[in-house]
Amino acid sequence: MDLDVYVTAHRAEWERLDHLLRRGRKLTGAEADELVALYQRTATHLSIVQSSAPDPVLTARLTQLVARARATVTGTRRASWRDAARFLTAGFPAAVYRARHWWVPTALLSTLLAALIGWWIGTHPEVQAALGAPADLREMTRPGGQYETYYSSHPAASFAAQVWTNNAQAAAMCLVLGAFLGIPVLWILFMNMLNVGVGIGLMASAGRLDIFLGLILPHGLLELTAVFVAAGTGLRLGWTVVDPGPTTRRAALAERGRAAVGMAMGLALVLFVSGLIEGFVTPSGLPTWARITIGIAAELVFLLYVYVLGGRAARRGEQGDLAESDRGAALPTAA
């Protein structure tokens, strides 16, 4: 394509669109219709320039012009409580539901890995010796030792806030770093499972595995599920880089990336609940069966939330993305 000829042929339309945009709300009905038509044509021009003759100066000019026109045509809208309700009842659970083919296998394989690490450490004294001195390990696993006092070492409120912050950061890192082919996500996931496996192995070797499970299950079920969802979504985002599907890689990453950002906010709420359980229920004086029951109940509520509300929203076509009116205009692609 001869770029100079193309610019000469369409410069008058771009200048007319710029003139109409500068007039703001002083347009007549006919001029408003003209603005919409020019906006649509200029968006097509931008797509053709990007695909056939990507001149950076012209692309920047047309991108700015199209963005201004879109803001004028569609207007702006403030977020409302209705948006928050839609996100919590449809967008977030639908996004988690649609990603289930990634995070469910991630959860199963990660749990198996933690169990294998725990078995390996618990049945091999030489591995335990490599982890620490016998006196230090006894201090960690004895009644009233570090594993038990960890959950009551700080005031419940501050401990819950600290746990929530750390876990939310880990989940956000899984979601954000997934774009790097998912490799950092695998490392974060492995380190989490290694920590769990070490605890299982050391406490099992001390004959106190039941105590360890009684401490970790009340909050760990929901907490680890949130981490698995984040990790699975991050891996899905990484795979999108390799195989974007029927759309362009850019469009697929934009859609999955927006859904991942929304999922980060939703998982922060889930981890907030988990942090409350870890701060107030896990170190409480409740019987072990009661604490574990609370943890199982929280986990079941989340799964029902995802599979019932999320499944229903997904079948209606909900993607967990922004509303269609809030997304960027999809430009036609030149053949």
PDB file of all heavy atoms in Angstrom, residues 32-51:
ATOM      1  N   ALA A  32     -23.784  15.064  14.424  1.00  0.00           N
ATOM      2  CA  ALA A  32     -23.536  13.942  15.321  1.00  0.00           C
ATOM      3  C   ALA A  32     -23.518  12.622  14.545  1.00  0.00           C
ATOM      4  O   ALA A  32     -22.670  11.755  14.784  1.00  0.00           O
ATOM      5  CB  ALA A  32     -24.604  13.902  16.411  1.00  0.00           C
ATOM      6  N   ASP A  33     -24.468  12.467  13.602  1.00  0.00           N
ATOM      7  CA  ASP A  33     -24.472  11.267  12.759  1.00  0.00           C
ATOM      8  C   ASP A  33     -23.199  11.199  11.922  1.00  0.00           C
ATOM      9  O   ASP A  33     -22.619  10.112  11.726  1.00  0.00           O
ATOM     10  CB  ASP A  33     -25.696  11.264  11.846  1.00  0.00           C
ATOM     11  CG  ASP A  33     -26.990  11.084  12.620  1.00  0.00           C
ATOM     12  OD1 ASP A  33     -26.932  10.572  13.758  1.00  0.00           O
ATOM     13  OD2 ASP A  33     -28.053  11.465  12.087  1.00  0.00           O
ATOM     14  N   GLU A  34     -22.769  12.345  11.428  1.00  0.00           N
ATOM     15  CA  GLU A  34     -21.538  12.388  10.629  1.00  0.00           C
ATOM     16  C   GLU A  34     -20.336  11.988  11.480  1.00  0.00           C
ATOM     17  O   GLU A  34     -19.450  11.264  11.013  1.00  0.00           O
ATOM     18  CB  GLU A  34     -21.343  13.795  10.055  1.00  0.00           C
ATOM     19  CG  GLU A  34     -20.108  13.907   9.170  1.00  0.00           C
ATOM     20  CD  GLU A  34     -19.855  15.343   8.709  1.00  0.00           C
ATOM     21  OE1 GLU A  34     -20.578  16.250   9.185  1.00  0.00           O
ATOM     22  OE2 GLU A  34     -18.925  15.542   7.922  1.00  0.00           O
ATOM     23  N   LEU A  35     -20.310  12.437  12.729  1.00  0.00           N
ATOM     24  CA  LEU A  35     -19.203  12.100  13.620  1.00  0.00           C
ATOM     25  C   LEU A  35     -19.115  10.589  13.830  1.00  0.00           C
ATOM     26  O   LEU A  35     -18.025  10.003  13.800  1.00  0.00           O
ATOM     27  CB  LEU A  35     -19.367  12.821  14.954  1.00  0.00           C
ATOM     28  CG  LEU A  35     -18.209  12.706  15.958  1.00  0.00           C
ATOM     29  CD1 LEU A  35     -18.122  13.970  16.807  1.00  0.00           C
ATOM     30  CD2 LEU A  35     -18.376  11.496  16.882  1.00  0.00           C
ATOM     31  N   VAL A  36     -20.263   9.960  14.049  1.00  0.00           N
ATOM     32  CA  VAL A  36     -20.274   8.503  14.251  1.00  0.00           C
ATOM     33  C   VAL A  36     -19.748   7.791  13.011  1.00  0.00           C
ATOM     34  O   VAL A  36     -18.931   6.859  13.100  1.00  0.00           O
ATOM     35  CB  VAL A  36     -21.693   8.013  14.605  1.00  0.00           C
ATOM     36  CG1 VAL A  36     -21.738   6.492  14.639  1.00  0.00           C
ATOM     37  CG2 VAL A  36     -22.126   8.584  15.955  1.00  0.00           C
ATOM     38  N   ALA A  37     -20.204   8.210  11.839  1.00  0.00           N
ATOM     39  CA  ALA A  37     -19.759   7.576  10.602  1.00  0.00           C
ATOM     40  C   ALA A  37     -18.254   7.772  10.394  1.00  0.00           C
ATOM     41  O   ALA A  37     -17.542   6.840   9.993  1.00  0.00           O
ATOM     42  CB  ALA A  37     -20.545   8.144   9.422  1.00  0.00           C
ATOM     43  N   LEU A  38     -17.770   8.978  10.662  1.00  0.00           N
ATOM     44  CA  LEU A  38     -16.339   9.240  10.506  1.00  0.00           C
ATOM     45  C   LEU A  38     -15.518   8.440  11.517  1.00  0.00           C
ATOM     46  O   LEU A  38     -14.407   7.985  11.214  1.00  0.00           O
ATOM     47  CB  LEU A  38     -16.063  10.737  10.668  1.00  0.00           C
ATOM     48  CG  LEU A  38     -16.528  11.629   9.510  1.00  0.00           C
ATOM     49  CD1 LEU A  38     -16.385  13.100   9.874  1.00  0.00           C
ATOM     50  CD2 LEU A  38     -15.728  11.314   8.243  1.00  0.00           C
ATOM     51  N   TYR A  39     -16.052   8.290  12.728  1.00  0.00           N
ATOM     52  CA  TYR A  39     -15.364   7.481  13.747  1.00  0.00           C
ATOM     53  C   TYR A  39     -15.209   6.041  13.271  1.00  0.00           C
ATOM     54  O   TYR A  39     -14.125   5.444  13.372  1.00  0.00           O
ATOM     55  CB  TYR A  39     -16.156   7.543  15.056  1.00  0.00           C
ATOM     56  CG  TYR A  39     -15.913   6.399  16.007  1.00  0.00           C
ATOM     57  CD1 TYR A  39     -14.636   6.118  16.490  1.00  0.00           C
ATOM     58  CD2 TYR A  39     -16.969   5.586  16.429  1.00  0.00           C
ATOM     59  CE1 TYR A  39     -14.422   5.058  17.367  1.00  0.00           C
ATOM     60  CE2 TYR A  39     -16.758   4.533  17.302  1.00  0.00           C
ATOM     61  CZ  TYR A  39     -15.485   4.278  17.762  1.00  0.00           C
ATOM     62  OH  TYR A  39     -15.268   3.226  18.628  1.00  0.00           O
ATOM     63  N   GLN A  40     -16.263   5.478  12.715  1.00  0.00           N
ATOM     64  CA  GLN A  40     -16.204   4.092  12.244  1.00  0.00           C
ATOM     65  C   GLN A  40     -15.233   3.947  11.076  1.00  0.00           C
ATOM     66  O   GLN A  40     -14.453   2.979  11.014  1.00  0.00           O
ATOM     67  CB  GLN A  40     -17.610   3.630  11.842  1.00  0.00           C
ATOM     68  CG  GLN A  40     -18.581   3.532  13.013  1.00  0.00           C
ATOM     69  CD  GLN A  40     -20.008   3.271  12.579  1.00  0.00           C
ATOM     70  OE1 GLN A  40     -20.387   3.595  11.446  1.00  0.00           O
ATOM     71  NE2 GLN A  40     -20.804   2.695  13.457  1.00  0.00           N
ATOM     72  N   ARG A  41     -15.250   4.913  10.156  1.00  0.00           N
ATOM     73  CA  ARG A  41     -14.342   4.840   9.012  1.00  0.00           C
ATOM     74  C   ARG A  41     -12.885   5.017   9.455  1.00  0.00           C
ATOM     75  O   ARG A  41     -11.988   4.321   8.970  1.00  0.00           O
ATOM     76  CB  ARG A  41     -14.706   5.897   7.964  1.00  0.00           C
ATOM     77  CG  ARG A  41     -15.981   5.584   7.202  1.00  0.00           C
ATOM     78  CD  ARG A  41     -15.995   6.257   5.832  1.00  0.00           C
ATOM     79  NE  ARG A  41     -16.090   7.715   5.950  1.00  0.00           N
ATOM     80  CZ  ARG A  41     -17.236   8.380   5.996  1.00  0.00           C
ATOM     81  NH1 ARG A  41     -18.394   7.720   5.943  1.00  0.00           N
ATOM     82  NH2 ARG A  41     -17.249   9.690   6.090  1.00  0.00           N
ATOM     83  N   THR A  42     -12.655   5.923  10.397  1.00  0.00           N
ATOM     84  CA  THR A  42     -11.286   6.158  10.858  1.00  0.00           C
ATOM     85  C   THR A  42     -10.753   4.951  11.621  1.00  0.00           C
ATOM     86  O   THR A  42      -9.558   4.629  11.535  1.00  0.00           O
ATOM     87  CB  THR A  42     -11.239   7.412  11.760  1.00  0.00           C
ATOM     88  OG1 THR A  42     -11.768   8.522  11.038  1.00  0.00           O
ATOM     89  CG2 THR A  42      -9.807   7.730  12.184  1.00  0.00           C
ATOM     90  N   ALA A  43     -11.621   4.271  12.358  1.00  0.00           N
ATOM     91  CA  ALA A  43     -11.196   3.042  13.029  1.00  0.00           C
ATOM     92  C   ALA A  43     -10.758   1.995  12.006  1.00  0.00           C
ATOM     93  O   ALA A  43      -9.760   1.284  12.208  1.00  0.00           O
ATOM     94  CB  ALA A  43     -12.323   2.489  13.895  1.00  0.00           C
ATOM     95  N   THR A  44     -11.473   1.906  10.907  1.00  0.00           N
ATOM     96  CA  THR A  44     -11.088   0.988   9.834  1.00  0.00           C
ATOM     97  C   THR A  44      -9.765   1.414   9.207  1.00  0.00           C
ATOM     98  O   THR A  44      -8.890   0.591   8.927  1.00  0.00           O
ATOM     99  CB  THR A  44     -12.186   0.935   8.758  1.00  0.00           C
ATOM    100  OG1 THR A  44     -13.413   0.527   9.358  1.00  0.00           O
ATOM    101  CG2 THR A  44     -11.809  -0.033   7.647  1.00  0.00           C
ATOM    102  N   HIS A  45      -9.603   2.726   8.995  1.00  0.00           N
ATOM    103  CA  HIS A  45      -8.339   3.236   8.448  1.00  0.00           C
ATOM    104  C   HIS A  45      -7.168   2.877   9.354  1.00  0.00           C
ATOM    105  O   HIS A  45      -6.101   2.463   8.878  1.00  0.00           O
ATOM    106  CB  HIS A  45      -8.411   4.763   8.288  1.00  0.00           C
ATOM    107  CG  HIS A  45      -9.476   5.215   7.347  1.00  0.00           C
ATOM    108  ND1 HIS A  45     -10.003   6.504   7.353  1.00  0.00           N
ATOM    109  CD2 HIS A  45     -10.160   4.549   6.361  1.00  0.00           C
ATOM    110  CE1 HIS A  45     -10.922   6.615   6.427  1.00  0.00           C
ATOM    111  NE2 HIS A  45     -11.039   5.449   5.807  1.00  0.00           N
ATOM    112  N   LEU A  46      -7.365   3.033  10.651  1.00  0.00           N
ATOM    113  CA  LEU A  46      -6.299   2.709  11.601  1.00  0.00           C
ATOM    114  C   LEU A  46      -5.926   1.230  11.516  1.00  0.00           C
ATOM    115  O   LEU A  46      -4.732   0.874  11.519  1.00  0.00           O
ATOM    116  CB  LEU A  46      -6.758   3.049  13.025  1.00  0.00           C
ATOM    117  CG  LEU A  46      -5.831   2.603  14.164  1.00  0.00           C
ATOM    118  CD1 LEU A  46      -4.452   3.236  14.025  1.00  0.00           C
ATOM    119  CD2 LEU A  46      -6.442   2.962  15.517  1.00  0.00           C
ATOM    120  N   SER A  47      -6.923   0.369  11.408  1.00  0.00           N
ATOM    121  CA  SER A  47      -6.651  -1.061  11.309  1.00  0.00           C
ATOM    122  C   SER A  47      -5.858  -1.386  10.052  1.00  0.00           C
ATOM    123  O   SER A  47      -4.901  -2.180  10.073  1.00  0.00           O
ATOM    124  CB  SER A  47      -7.965  -1.846  11.310  1.00  0.00           C
ATOM    125  OG  SER A  47      -7.726  -3.222  11.119  1.00  0.00           O
ATOM    126  N   ILE A  48      -6.224  -0.764   8.941  1.00  0.00           N
ATOM    127  CA  ILE A  48      -5.531  -1.019   7.680  1.00  0.00           C
ATOM    128  C   ILE A  48      -4.095  -0.519   7.741  1.00  0.00           C
ATOM    129  O   ILE A  48      -3.156  -1.196   7.291  1.00  0.00           O
ATOM    130  CB  ILE A  48      -6.303  -0.367   6.517  1.00  0.00           C
ATOM    131  CG1 ILE A  48      -7.665  -1.056   6.337  1.00  0.00           C
ATOM    132  CG2 ILE A  48      -5.494  -0.406   5.231  1.00  0.00           C
ATOM    133  CD1 ILE A  48      -8.566  -0.372   5.336  1.00  0.00           C
ATOM    134  N   VAL A  49      -3.887   0.651   8.312  1.00  0.00           N
ATOM    135  CA  VAL A  49      -2.532   1.192   8.438  1.00  0.00           C
ATOM    136  C   VAL A  49      -1.674   0.293   9.325  1.00  0.00           C
ATOM    137  O   VAL A  49      -0.514   0.001   9.017  1.00  0.00           O
ATOM    138  CB  VAL A  49      -2.583   2.636   8.992  1.00  0.00           C
ATOM    139  CG1 VAL A  49      -1.187   3.117   9.388  1.00  0.00           C
ATOM    140  CG2 VAL A  49      -3.186   3.582   7.965  1.00  0.00           C
ATOM    141  N   GLN A  50      -2.251  -0.172  10.442  1.00  0.00           N
ATOM    142  CA  GLN A  50      -1.499  -1.028  11.355  1.00  0.00           C
ATOM    143  C   GLN A  50      -1.077  -2.341  10.704  1.00  0.00           C
ATOM    144  O   GLN A  50       0.016  -2.851  10.958  1.00  0.00           O
ATOM    145  CB  GLN A  50      -2.323  -1.324  12.608  1.00  0.00           C
ATOM    146  CG  GLN A  50      -2.458  -0.146  13.554  1.00  0.00           C
ATOM    147  CD  GLN A  50      -3.347  -0.459  14.743  1.00  0.00           C
ATOM    148  OE1 GLN A  50      -4.362  -1.135  14.604  1.00  0.00           O
ATOM    149  NE2 GLN A  50      -2.978   0.053  15.905  1.00  0.00           N
ATOM    150  N   SER A  51      -1.933  -2.893   9.868  1.00  0.00           N
ATOM    151  CA  SER A  51      -1.649  -4.208   9.290  1.00  0.00           C
ATOM    152  C   SER A  51      -0.867  -4.137   7.982  1.00  0.00           C
ATOM    153  O   SER A  51      -0.148  -5.081   7.638  1.00  0.00           O
ATOM    154  CB  SER A  51      -2.956  -4.965   9.058  1.00  0.00           C
ATOM    155  OG  SER A  51      -3.803  -4.238   8.180  1.00  0.00           O
TER     156      SER A  51
END
